[in-house]
Amino acid sequence: MALALSSSLKPLCSFSSSAATSPSSTQQDSFSYRPAVILPAKSPFLSGLGNNSSDYLKLEATLKENYGVPTVVAKVSRLDWLRNAAGLVDPNYWRGTLRPRPVLDWYLKRVDEAVQEAKELAQGGTLSLIGHSAGGWLARVYLEEFGLSHISLLLTLGTPHLPPPKGLSGVIDQTRGLLYYVEKHCSKAVYTPHLKYVCIAGRYIRGAQLFRNSTVKVESTVPIGSAQSISEDAIMNDLSTSTSNTATLRARFVGQGYKQVCGQADVWGDGVVPEVSAHLEGALNISLDGVYHSPVGSDDVLRPWYGSPAVVEKWIHHLLS
């Protein structure tokens, strides 16, 4: 299933489903939303820094104040991500066969603590997990390791679900095998009344090949049509002037990040994660035009990210009880 939204965030449905349309503001007042747990993103490189909990305060406030969604953000600081450096002493890191545990046990523990807090808010009901970027595939690891009896929804926002293709020159698996592990060992995505997988991808900028003679082609494995691949600060450098040359440089720069994730540069993505990597076979897959990857460097009007209020309005109905 797939849904595409234009840059003005008006729905253009490619399938027939009552879940494809957002409820009106008058309807939302009578709706009941299950509690949600937000899983922060991490850096692509095992030892790098990622987002912290405070980056999601505005999204948390939007969910609580605009929709009455009881929301808990897993407690993660940027320095916490340095714990991942422990993986550097694991021979599997250098072989590219790293496993999530034990190197990411600290993160899974923080998620479980947030889930336990949200379960108290749910009062016997079920929960939604909202995973941003790598938080989406880490949520899949959590479900595999801790169980999913109390989870009704996994909503991923700009998550690089698929590992990069092997054997391509210049492409390095930045997760050092973690995404291959997830693909092989974690349960496949489903969309049922009891458990829904919803994967949202952004179409903020199309990448470009560094050189025009590349012949590599990547085709989506889902019915449509992170690790974070490059530095957020680098993307937000002054590359957004109106000249065509600068625009081309930006597209090529972003394209090299896309290539590290999916093996191809000239694809659409949210500026960090290519669209083709953010969807999963078996899930409800949605694409949003004009949506940027991260809360860092975003602007609710000019550069909205997945958690901007106008974008949240397009996916909030999936959190309905």
Side-chain angles (χ1 to χ4, degrees):
M1 290 180 282
L3 172 69
L5 298 186
S6 69
S7 58
S8 60
L9 300 179
K10 295 180 180 178
L12 298 172
C13 301
S14 59
F15 66 96
S16 177
S17 170
S18 59
T21 57
S22 299
S24 67
S25 57
T26 55
Q27 291 174 316
Q28 287 167 355
D29 294 337
S30 62
F31 286 157
S32 175
Y33 295 92
R34 66 177 74 87
V37 176
I38 298 175
L39 282 68
K42 69 177 289 294
S43 167
F45 297 103
L46 190 64
S47 58
L49 300 182
N51 292 100
N52 64 19
S53 301
S54 64
D55 294 331
Y56 301 90
L57 290 178
K58 188 171 182 179
L59 171 57
E60 180 184 10
T62 297
L63 293 176
K64 288 181 176 179
E65 297 170 10
N66 293 11
Y67 302 97
V69 181
T71 305
V72 180
V73 182
K75 293 179 174 59
V76 176
S77 72
R78 298 195 204 286
L79 291 179
D80 278 331
W81 295 109
L82 292 176
R83 298 167 183 260
N84 292 356
L88 295 173
V89 300
D90 188 332
N92 288 308
Y93 175 90
W94 304 104
R95 289 194 291 262
T97 56
L98 196 64
R99 292 169 172 253
R101 310 191 71 177
V103 68
L104 289 171
D105 276 353
W106 71 269
Y107 184 92
L108 297 175
K109 181 181 178 182
R110 301 290 178 84
V111 173
D112 192 53
E113 291 170 352
V115 167
Q116 298 309 316
E117 183 179 345
K119 284 176 67 176
E120 295 184 9
L121 300 174
Q123 300 180 339
T126 58
L127 311 176
S128 299
L129 297 185
I130 302 174
H132 171 234
S133 195
W137 61 259
L138 284 164
R140 295 176 65 196
V141 175
Y142 174 80
L143 293 177
E144 197 69 28
E145 297 291 329
F146 289 76
L148 46 74
S149 61
H150 48 285
I151 306 297
S152 293
L153 168 71
L154 172 56
L155 177 76
T156 65
L157 307 173
T159 290
H161 284 292
L162 307 178
K166 294 182 178 181
L168 291 182
S169 175
V171 175
I172 300 173
D173 173 22
Q174 298 176 71
T175 69
R176 305 308 300 152
L178 291 174
L179 278 178
Y180 290 104
Y181 178 92
V182 171
E183 184 179 53
K184 182 176 180 180
H185 296 283
C186 290
S187 299
K188 302 301 181 183
V190 296
Y191 190 87
T192 70
H194 305 292
L195 177 61
K196 298 179 176 68
Y197 277 64
V198 179
C199 301
I200 300 180
R203 290 170 57 89
Y204 176 71
I205 183 173
R206 183 183 178 94
Q209 299 171 4
L210 188 60
F211 304 106
R212 297 184 181 277
N213 59 353
S214 173
T215 58
V216 175
K217 184 176 182 180
V218 175
E219 295 183 356
S220 174
T221 59
V222 298
I224 182 169
S226 198
Q228 294 177 195
S229 57
I230 52 180
S231 165
E232 299 289 352
D233 292 334
I235 290 181
M236 298 315 301
N237 280 343
D238 188 17
L239 296 175
S240 58
T241 62
S242 60
T243 64
S244 59
N245 287 339
T246 302
T248 300
L249 286 174
R250 185 185 190 198
R252 291 183 181 185
F253 181 82
V254 170
Q256 294 315 294
Y258 290 166
K259 183 177 180 180
Q260 295 303 312
V261 181
C262 72
Q264 186 170 343
D266 54 350
V267 294
W268 278 97
D270 60 18
V272 173
V273 174
E275 180 183 19
V276 66
S277 300
H279 287 162
L280 273 175
E281 185 176 2
L284 172 61
N285 294 303
I286 300 171
S287 289
L288 307 178
D289 280 355
V291 175
Y292 177 63
H293 180 79
S294 175
V296 180
S298 66
D299 181 283
D300 288 343
V301 177
L302 300 177
R303 186 184 287 114
W305 81 288
Y306 297 100
S308 294
V311 182
V312 172
E313 184 179 351
K314 301 304 174 183
W315 54 255
I316 187 64
H317 54 283
H318 296 293
L319 274 62
L320 286 169
S321 300

